């Protein structure tokens, strides 16, 4: 896709999936630089285009006591440093229209959280920056309904749109993945990404901390590649038990490389050249 070529430039590889990966939130410089260095090296070896991801601020937390970040400017500075140091595109989520221009000065892709995928003012503000905009499908939305988010951004003059499947609410404390949404959203002419970690969240826990099922990350990822996902979103941390956000559903960093090796083989088996 021409939009992906513009994002990845010399790293563009139409015969492979791309990866968006990193810690859920920026905790400190050592963490983000260490993860970026390791994942970048793995992706170069496997010829996987790579976008580094970390939130500079977490606005949607279950508890008032949950960690939200080290400061907006401090977090964005670190994201920019990662991109410059490792020659990577970087992404982070925004939570209001006012954040779009600020974040766009530091990142290559603006991520719209699932809960906000219908918020017109945020979508238009993100579109106006000219940056790539990755909209996560709401847990309450169908794949078909995401055409309206795409239309809002494209009609604002920005053709750099991506959509991410991240599961559908099932009861109060679980999510399920409907893989029909991948080909459905691809029909809109945009790259489609599978969020392999947030789709395994178990929200609304009475403890005030979101649960998860990280043992199923590989299953989610393999099925996504088999059903045609253009990219994968995987949050990772060297010590999930010590992560300050989403530790219950991130992939332990040392497990990422063998999983990606397996996924590359699956991609090779199912890929059909245009």
């Amino acid at each position: 896709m021409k939009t992906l070529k513009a994002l990845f430039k010399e790293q563009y590889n139409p015969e492979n999936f791309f990866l968006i990966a990193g810690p859920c939130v920026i905790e400190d410089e050592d963490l983000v630089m260490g993860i970026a260095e390791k994942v970048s090296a793995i992706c170069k070896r496997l010829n996987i285009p790579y976008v580094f991801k970390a939130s500079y601020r977490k606005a949607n937390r279950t508890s008032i006591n949950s960690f939200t970040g080290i400061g907006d400017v401090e977090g964005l500075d670190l994201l920019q440093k990662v991109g410059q140091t490792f020659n990577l595109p970087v992404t982070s989520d925004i939570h209001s229209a006012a954040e779009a221009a600020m974040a766009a000065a530091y990142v290559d892709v603006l991520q719209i959280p699932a809960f906000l995928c219908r918020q017109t003012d945020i979508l238009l503000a993100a579109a106006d920056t000219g940056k790539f905009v990755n909209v996560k499908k709401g847990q309450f939305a169908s794949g078909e309904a995401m055409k309206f988010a795409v239309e809002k951004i494209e009609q604002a003059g920005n053709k750099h749109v991506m959509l991410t499947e991240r599961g559908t609410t099932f009861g109060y404390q679980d999510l399920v993945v409907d893989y029909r949404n991948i080909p459905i959203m691809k029909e809109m002419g945009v790259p489609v990404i599978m969020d392999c970690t947030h789709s395994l969240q178990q929200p609304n826990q009475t403890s005030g901390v979101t649960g998860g099922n990280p043992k199923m990350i590989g299953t989610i990822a393999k099925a996504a590649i088999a059903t045609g996902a253009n990219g994968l979103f995987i949050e990772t941390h060297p010590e999930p038990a010590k992560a300050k956000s989403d530790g219950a559903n991130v992939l332990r960093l040392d497990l990422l490389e063998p999983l990606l090796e397996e996924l590359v083989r699956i991609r090779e088996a199912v890929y059909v050249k245009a």
Side-chain angles (χ1 to χ4, degrees):
M1 293 183 174
K2 63 180 181 180
T3 56
L4 292 180
K5 187 174 183 179
L7 177 63
F8 291 110
K9 300 175 183 176
E10 68 274 7
Q11 298 172 336
Y12 178 63
N13 179 11
E15 296 185 13
N16 209 354
F17 61 90
F18 63 92
L19 177 68
I20 301 175
C24 182
V25 64
I26 292 175
E27 300 176 17
D28 57 54
E29 182 170 348
D30 287 345
L31 178 75
V32 296
M33 297 299 284
I35 292 176
E37 181 177 23
K38 180 160 187 174
V39 180
S40 178
I42 294 168
C43 288
K44 284 181 180 178
R45 182 177 71 80
L46 297 175
N47 203 15
I48 299 171
Y50 175 41
V51 180
F52 178 83
K53 181 271 170 187
S55 297
Y56 66 88
R57 173 159 52 88
K58 299 299 293 184
N60 177 26
R61 301 307 310 274
T62 303
S63 170
I64 189 68
N65 298 314
S66 296
F67 179 77
T68 59
I70 63 173
D72 290 359
V73 174
E74 293 84 354
L76 287 166
D77 277 339
L78 281 178
L79 278 170
Q80 189 174 64
K81 184 175 181 178
V82 166
Q84 293 171 345
T85 301
F86 300 103
N87 191 30
L88 295 172
V90 297
T91 184
S92 189
D93 40 348
I94 61 172
H95 311 90
S96 70
E99 290 181 46
M102 175 185 71
Y106 298 85
V107 305
D108 304 281
V109 182
L110 296 173
Q111 180 178 288
I112 309 301
F115 285 129
L116 302 176
C117 70
R118 290 169 52 110
Q119 296 299 112
T120 301
D121 60 339
I122 296 178
L123 295 175
L124 295 183
D128 286 345
T129 68
K131 296 288 184 172
F132 284 78
V133 183
N134 176 23
V135 187
K136 288 197 170 186
K137 183 187 75 64
Q139 301 92 321
F140 47 82
S142 68
E144 291 91 342
M146 293 306 293
K147 69 179 181 180
F148 300 110
V150 173
E151 288 174 356
K152 289 174 184 178
I153 296 167
E154 290 188 339
Q155 289 183 17
N158 188 334
K159 302 298 183 183
H160 299 310
V161 189
M162 298 186 282
L163 294 176
T164 294
E165 165 62 38
R166 56 96 74 225
T168 301
T169 298
F170 184 73
Y172 288 113
Q173 295 177 321
D174 209 354
L175 299 168
V176 295
V177 177
D178 181 353
Y179 285 96
R180 293 176 299 179
N181 284 327
I182 292 176
I184 286 170
M185 293 192 294
K186 284 181 69 175
E187 289 178 358
M188 300 170 196
V190 301
V192 174
I193 302 153
M194 181 71 230
D195 185 336
C196 303
T197 46
H198 289 98
S199 59
L200 291 167
Q201 283 182 329
Q202 295 170 336
N204 302 318
Q205 301 295 315
T206 56
S207 65
V209 178
T210 297
N213 187 10
K215 291 182 179 180
M216 298 296 292
I217 291 172
T219 299
I220 296 290
K222 293 171 195 175
I225 294 299
T227 50
N230 302 104
L232 299 176
F233 179 109
I234 301 176
E235 288 189 338
T236 185
H237 194 285
E239 298 181 89
K242 295 182 180 179
K244 294 184 178 180
S245 179
D246 279 359
N249 56 268
V250 302
L251 182 69
R252 202 174 74 226
L253 183 58
D254 66 332
L255 299 177
L256 181 63
E257 185 169 12
L259 174 60
L260 291 177
E261 290 173 342
E262 188 172 5
L263 294 171
V264 167
R265 292 194 294 270
I266 294 172
R267 172 66 175 174
E268 290 172 349
V270 301
Y271 177 71
V272 179
K273 292 185 180 181

CSV table of all heavy atoms in Angstrom, one decimal, residues 76-101:
chain,number,residue,atom,x,y,z
A,76,LEU,N,7.1,12.6,25.3
A,76,LEU,CA,7.2,12.9,23.9
A,76,LEU,C,8.7,13.1,23.4
A,76,LEU,O,9.1,12.6,22.3
A,76,LEU,CB,6.4,14.1,23.5
A,76,LEU,CG,4.9,13.8,23.5
A,76,LEU,CD1,4.1,15.1,23.4
A,76,LEU,CD2,4.4,12.9,22.3
A,77,ASP,N,9.5,13.7,24.3
A,77,ASP,CA,10.9,13.9,24.0
A,77,ASP,C,11.6,12.5,23.8
A,77,ASP,O,12.4,12.3,22.9
A,77,ASP,CB,11.6,14.7,25.1
A,77,ASP,CG,11.4,16.2,24.9
A,77,ASP,OD1,11.1,16.6,23.8
A,77,ASP,OD2,11.6,16.9,25.9
A,78,LEU,N,11.2,11.6,24.7
A,78,LEU,CA,11.8,10.3,24.6
A,78,LEU,C,11.3,9.5,23.4
A,78,LEU,O,12.1,8.8,22.8
A,78,LEU,CB,11.4,9.5,25.9
A,78,LEU,CG,12.3,9.8,27.1
A,78,LEU,CD1,11.8,9.0,28.3
A,78,LEU,CD2,13.8,9.5,26.9
A,79,LEU,N,10.1,9.7,23.0
A,79,LEU,CA,9.6,9.0,21.8
A,79,LEU,C,10.4,9.5,20.6
A,79,LEU,O,10.8,8.8,19.7
A,79,LEU,CB,8.1,9.3,21.6
A,79,LEU,CG,7.2,8.4,22.4
A,79,LEU,CD1,5.7,8.9,22.2
A,79,LEU,CD2,7.2,7.0,21.8
A,80,GLN,N,10.6,10.8,20.5
A,80,GLN,CA,11.3,11.4,19.4
A,80,GLN,C,12.8,10.9,19.5
A,80,GLN,O,13.4,10.6,18.4
A,80,GLN,CB,11.3,12.9,19.5
A,80,GLN,CG,11.9,13.7,18.3
A,80,GLN,CD,11.7,15.2,18.4
A,80,GLN,OE1,12.2,15.8,19.3
A,80,GLN,NE2,10.9,15.7,17.5
A,81,LYS,N,13.4,10.8,20.6
A,81,LYS,CA,14.7,10.3,20.7
A,81,LYS,C,14.9,8.9,20.2
A,81,LYS,O,15.8,8.5,19.5
A,81,LYS,CB,15.2,10.4,22.2
A,81,LYS,CG,16.7,10.0,22.4
A,81,LYS,CD,17.1,10.2,23.8
A,81,LYS,CE,18.6,9.8,24.0
A,81,LYS,NZ,19.1,10.1,25.4
A,82,VAL,N,13.9,8.0,20.5
A,82,VAL,CA,13.9,6.7,20.0
A,82,VAL,C,13.9,6.7,18.5
A,82,VAL,O,14.6,6.0,17.8
A,82,VAL,CB,12.6,5.9,20.6
A,82,VAL,CG1,12.4,4.6,19.8
A,82,VAL,CG2,12.8,5.6,22.0
A,83,GLY,N,13.0,7.5,17.9
A,83,GLY,CA,12.9,7.5,16.5
A,83,GLY,C,14.2,8.0,15.8
A,83,GLY,O,14.6,7.4,14.8
A,84,GLN,N,14.8,9.0,16.4
A,84,GLN,CA,16.1,9.5,15.8
A,84,GLN,C,17.2,8.5,16.0
A,84,GLN,O,18.1,8.4,15.2
A,84,GLN,CB,16.4,10.9,16.4
A,84,GLN,CG,15.4,11.9,16.1
A,84,GLN,CD,15.5,13.2,16.8
A,84,GLN,OE1,16.2,13.3,17.9
A,84,GLN,NE2,14.9,14.3,16.4
A,85,THR,N,17.3,7.9,17.2
A,85,THR,CA,18.4,7.0,17.5
A,85,THR,C,18.4,5.7,16.6
A,85,THR,O,19.4,5.3,16.2
A,85,THR,CB,18.4,6.6,19.0
A,85,THR,OG1,18.4,7.8,19.8
A,85,THR,CG2,19.5,5.7,19.3
A,86,PHE,N,17.2,5.2,16.4
A,86,PHE,CA,17.1,3.9,15.8
A,86,PHE,C,16.5,4.0,14.4
A,86,PHE,O,16.2,3.0,13.7
A,86,PHE,CB,16.3,2.9,16.6
A,86,PHE,CG,16.9,2.6,17.9
A,86,PHE,CD1,16.4,3.2,19.1
A,86,PHE,CD2,18.0,1.8,18.1
A,86,PHE,CE1,17.0,3.0,20.3
A,86,PHE,CE2,18.6,1.6,19.3
A,86,PHE,CZ,18.1,2.2,20.5
A,87,ASN,N,16.3,5.2,13.9
A,87,ASN,CA,15.7,5.5,12.6
A,87,ASN,C,14.4,4.8,12.4
A,87,ASN,O,14.2,4.0,11.4
A,87,ASN,CB,16.7,5.1,11.5
A,87,ASN,CG,16.3,5.6,10.1
A,87,ASN,OD1,15.6,6.6,10.0
A,87,ASN,ND2,16.6,4.8,9.1
A,88,LEU,N,13.5,5.0,13.3
A,88,LEU,CA,12.2,4.3,13.3
A,88,LEU,C,11.1,5.3,13.3
A,88,LEU,O,11.2,6.4,14.0
A,88,LEU,CB,12.0,3.4,14.6
A,88,LEU,CG,13.0,2.2,14.8
A,88,LEU,CD1,12.8,1.7,16.2
A,88,LEU,CD2,12.7,1.2,13.8
A,89,PRO,N,10.0,5.0,12.7
A,89,PRO,CA,8.7,5.8,12.9
A,89,PRO,C,8.2,5.4,14.3
A,89,PRO,O,8.4,4.3,14.8
A,89,PRO,CB,7.8,5.3,11.9
A,89,PRO,CG,8.3,3.9,11.4
A,89,PRO,CD,9.8,3.9,11.7
A,90,VAL,N,7.6,6.4,15.0
A,90,VAL,CA,7.1,6.2,16.4
A,90,VAL,C,5.7,6.6,16.5
A,90,VAL,O,5.2,7.4,15.7
A,90,VAL,CB,8.0,6.9,17.4
A,90,VAL,CG1,9.4,6.4,17.4
A,90,VAL,CG2,8.0,8.4,17.2
A,91,THR,N,5.0,6.0,17.4
A,91,THR,CA,3.6,6.3,17.6
A,91,THR,C,3.2,6.4,19.1
A,91,THR,O,3.8,5.8,19.9
A,91,THR,CB,2.7,5.3,16.9
A,91,THR,OG1,1.3,5.7,17.0
A,91,THR,CG2,2.8,3.9,17.5
A,92,SER,N,2.1,7.2,19.3
A,92,SER,CA,1.6,7.2,20.7
A,92,SER,C,0.1,7.6,20.5
A,92,SER,O,-0.3,8.1,19.5
A,92,SER,CB,2.3,8.3,21.5
A,92,SER,OG,1.9,8.2,22.9
A,93,ASP,N,-0.7,7.4,21.5
A,93,ASP,CA,-2.1,7.7,21.5
A,93,ASP,C,-2.4,9.1,22.0
A,93,ASP,O,-1.6,9.6,22.8
A,93,ASP,CB,-3.0,6.7,22.2
A,93,ASP,CG,-2.3,6.2,23.5
A,93,ASP,OD1,-1.2,6.5,23.8
A,93,ASP,OD2,-3.0,5.6,24.3
A,94,ILE,N,-3.4,9.7,21.5
A,94,ILE,CA,-3.9,11.0,22.0
A,94,ILE,C,-5.3,10.8,22.5
A,94,ILE,O,-6.0,9.9,22.2
A,94,ILE,CB,-3.9,12.1,20.9
A,94,ILE,CG1,-4.8,11.7,19.7
A,94,ILE,CG2,-2.4,12.3,20.4
A,94,ILE,CD1,-5.0,12.8,18.7
A,95,HIS,N,-5.7,11.7,23.4
A,95,HIS,CA,-7.0,11.6,24.1
A,95,HIS,C,-7.9,12.7,23.9
A,95,HIS,O,-9.1,12.7,24.5
A,95,HIS,CB,-6.7,11.3,25.6
A,95,HIS,CG,-5.7,10.2,25.8
A,95,HIS,ND1,-4.4,10.5,25.9
A,95,HIS,CD2,-5.8,8.9,25.9
A,95,HIS,CE1,-3.7,9.4,26.1
A,95,HIS,NE2,-4.6,8.4,26.0
A,96,SER,N,-7.5,13.8,23.2
A,96,SER,CA,-8.3,14.9,23.0
A,96,SER,C,-7.9,15.6,21.7
A,96,SER,O,-6.7,15.4,21.3
A,96,SER,CB,-8.3,15.9,24.2
A,96,SER,OG,-7.0,16.6,24.2
A,97,ALA,N,-8.7,16.4,21.1
A,97,ALA,CA,-8.4,17.2,19.9
A,97,ALA,C,-7.2,18.1,20.2
A,97,ALA,O,-6.3,18.3,19.3
A,97,ALA,CB,-9.6,18.0,19.4
A,98,ALA,N,-7.1,18.7,21.4
A,98,ALA,CA,-6.1,19.6,21.7
A,98,ALA,C,-4.7,18.9,21.7
A,98,ALA,O,-3.7,19.6,21.5
A,98,ALA,CB,-6.3,20.2,23.1
A,99,GLU,N,-4.6,17.6,21.9
A,99,GLU,CA,-3.3,16.9,22.0
A,99,GLU,C,-2.8,16.6,20.6
A,99,GLU,O,-1.6,16.4,20.5
A,99,GLU,CB,-3.5,15.6,22.7
A,99,GLU,CG,-3.7,15.7,24.2
A,99,GLU,CD,-3.8,14.3,24.8
A,99,GLU,OE1,-3.0,13.5,24.5
A,99,GLU,OE2,-4.8,14.1,25.6
A,100,ALA,N,-3.6,16.7,19.5
A,100,ALA,CA,-3.1,16.2,18.2
A,100,ALA,C,-1.9,17.0,17.7
A,100,ALA,O,-0.9,16.4,17.3
A,100,ALA,CB,-4.3,16.3,17.2
A,101,ALA,N,-2.0,18.3,17.7
A,101,ALA,CA,-0.9,19.1,17.1
A,101,ALA,C,0.3,19.0,18.0
A,101,ALA,O,1.4,18.9,17.5
A,101,ALA,CB,-1.4,20.6,17.0
